[in-house]
Amino acid sequence: ADAAGSAAASNYPGLVMRRLSRAGRPRVNARGEAVVGFTIADNGGLAALGIARSSGSAALDRAALGIVRGAAPFPKPPRGAERRFSIRIRGR
């Protein structure tokens, strides 16, 4: 059971990224790249969400946060899984 648990924990970031990739791209006419940091709660919801590095465009930053919000809730994290993530979201 331990091996299955650690496999689930190591596969979890891939599940999170897959969910985010399905959420789409920002629909804003802005250049740049926003870095969004977020933490996933026990139930798969968002425990924390914020801009770790601004794109310089308020519209792109807002759209980047919206993409992560739209992808939530995530699958429930298994024991030992990473729960803190940061992703780069590019404008056009």
Side-chain angles (χ1 to χ4, degrees):
D2 244 11
S6 63
S10 62
N11 291 336
Y12 188 69
L15 291 175
V16 171
M17 292 307 152
R18 223 172 1 263
R19 177 72 61 96
L20 284 164
S21 71
R22 288 194 201 116
R25 302 198 22 110
R27 288 193 182 89
V28 290
N29 193 7
R31 293 188 189 282
E33 179 179 89
V35 178
V36 177
F38 62 99
T39 304
I40 299 175
D42 288 345
N43 66 0
L46 288 171
L49 173 67
I51 294 291
R53 192 173 71 231
S54 174
S55 64
S57 159
L60 179 53
D61 289 354
R62 271 194 310 274
L65 291 170
I67 284 173
V68 177
R69 259 190 220 105
F74 296 93
K76 285 185 180 181
R79 191 193 335 253
E82 181 60 49
R83 292 166 179 243
R84 297 176 68 144
F85 296 91
S86 68
I87 60 161
R88 290 196 302 255
I89 297 178
R90 284 192 187 86
R92 46 173 225 95

